[in-house]
Structure formats: structure tokens, C-alpha cells
Amino acid sequence: MRITRILMGMPITVEIVGAVDATTHEAVFAYFASVDRRFSTYRDDSEIADINGGRITETAYSDEMRVVLALAERTRRETDGYFDIRRPGGGIDPSGIVKGWAIRNAAAIIAAAGHTNYFVDASGDIQSAGVNSHGAPWRVGIRNPFNDAEIVKIVTPRGRGIATSGTSARGQHIYNPHAAGDLEEIVSLTVIANDVLEADRFATAAFAMGRDGIGFIEQTPGLEGYAIDRDRRATLSSGFAACCPPC
């Protein structure tokens, strides 16, 4: 059973092979809705809005907020500050880590319900497990950032997580915290990691590094990457081809 809904400002698709009803789907969508209520930077009533508005202090942060902020700080240290939730104009925006974290937690809800074959896709960031309804490994397409209707590469994650950072869908929303101005050299960077949270947080950081990002992915154990630059050239990490099905 496959269901798609718009939540957190994006399409979220949950497919659970062999599900006889939508009970688990509903639990997953309810979870995503709760994440949006807490972390959305577009809602005046979210916990993030309260933090940025100075209406609550750190002692009143929720447990989930503490977990996400700790993950963000850990990622900042691991990426030499290229991942930084502090915004240039003030306040914090943990969006670059919340999506992957929420997808991973949603996958855990599905697994806890006893399902072993499933696929969770939140606007291109994906966690899957097992096989699809045809009994074959899940296949994920990487879109051409210059033509949304075209798939430029297909990968088989085999239980690993996938996340893509880029400018084609949302425009320039990632910045280099070490230099002023927009990032222009790289338009899309896809990362495959042990799970979608790892893929998401490092995809955001590597994209902020510009052309150096794919080198960071190459040097970081457990990560593979596929970068497309503004001249439409693709650069792959050394192990990325092994993630792709044979032609």
C-alpha cells in the first residue's frame, strides 16, 4: 500500500509492502505532522518560533528539540562548521537535519509495527528496507537538476539512506558559513549513507562546501556521493558506482 500526503511543506510518500490497511501509514503521517508543529520555521506556534522569538529558554526545550540541537552541534563539529543551523540574520533553523531525522524515526515506526519491506520518501530524501512489491530491491532515481522530468542515475540503496541537497526545487537555501555570497558551482549533490539521517546532514554540509564537497564525501567513511555542477558535469565518489544496478 502506497500513500502520499503533503506535510512539512512537501510531498511525503510511504509505501509498505503487504500492509492490509492504512493503520501504520496513519501513525507515520501523524508523526510527521507532530514534527512540523514543533520544528517548522514557517509556523508562528512552533517551538522553533518560540525559541527564535525569545519566548522560551533552554530549560524549557522539549526532549526532541534537545536531541536535534545536539545532532546539529555534532554535525557542525564534524564538518568544520559547514553545517551550521545559526542563521546569518539571527536565530536558528534546524531544517537541514530535521527532515532526515524525522524520516529515520518514521522508518522505525514502520519497523516496530512488524513490517520489513517499506519505503519512505520525503521530497527526495529516502529510507527504504527490504524489497518492493515485485520482490526486487528498491530503486531510486536521481533527477536532473536542469530537467525535473529526467532521471540521470538510478541507485539501489539496499537499506541505506539517500538525501539530495540542491537549488533546483527550493532555490538558493543553503549557504556557506565561511564565505559571503550564494553558492553557484554545484547545483545538486546526492549522498548515500548508512541511514537517511547521516545522508541528510552530510549532504547539506557537503553542498555548502561547493566543489570541495564531493571530496569531503570521498574522504568520509560510510558515505558515497554524486555531484552535478552548473556546467552539467557529474562527479562521483569512488564507491558510488557499486550502489547502482547493472545496466
Side-chain angles (χ1 to χ4, degrees), residues 2-192:
R2 180 186 181 101
I3 301 175
T4 299
R5 292 187 184 165
I6 303 296
L7 288 165
M8 297 173 64
M10 61 188 165
I12 298 178
T13 297
V14 178
E15 181 171 351
I16 305 175
V17 178
V20 297
D21 58 41
T23 301
T24 304
H25 291 79
E26 294 299 334
V28 169
F29 289 129
Y31 171 71
F32 277 117
S34 72
V35 170
D36 187 55
R37 287 193 297 270
R38 187 175 305 282
F39 292 98
S40 175
T41 58
Y42 298 98
R43 298 175 61 129
D44 294 334
D45 60 347
S46 69
E47 185 174 351
I48 281 292
D50 287 341
I51 291 171
N52 286 336
R55 293 186 290 274
I56 61 174
T57 61
E58 188 172 348
T59 57
Y61 290 1
S62 66
D63 290 342
E64 284 190 321
M65 185 63 67
R66 294 178 188 278
V67 168
V68 167
L69 295 184
L71 281 168
E73 175 58 21
R74 173 184 159 196
T75 307
R76 186 190 67 79
R77 294 195 305 267
E78 292 174 340
T79 62
D80 193 27
Y82 277 96
F83 182 96
D84 196 338
I85 65 172
R86 297 170 297 181
R87 300 295 88 183
I92 58 173
D93 179 2
S95 302
I97 204 166
V98 165
K99 184 165 66 165
W101 172 79
I103 297 169
R104 187 178 72 170
N105 291 345
I109 292 172
I110 299 171
H115 301 286
T116 56
N117 303 303
Y118 56 82
F119 183 94
V120 182
D121 177 356
S123 192
D125 291 357
I126 295 163
Q127 182 68 57
S128 61
V131 295
N132 62 24
S133 59
H134 302 290
W138 296 101
R139 292 159 63 96
V140 176
I142 299 175
R143 294 189 184 278
N144 181 348
F146 302 100
N147 178 4
D148 193 53
E150 181 183 357
I151 300 298
V152 295
K153 187 67 68 175
I154 294 175
V155 300
T156 50
R158 299 187 184 277
R160 303 179 77 190
I162 299 177
T164 298
S165 286
T167 57
S168 61
R170 295 176 54 194
Q172 187 61 58
H173 64 286
I174 300 172
Y175 73 101
N176 179 349
H178 298 311
D182 291 339
L183 295 168
E184 298 180 350
E185 295 178 330
I186 302 298
V187 296
S188 174
L189 196 157
T190 298
V191 173
I192 302 176

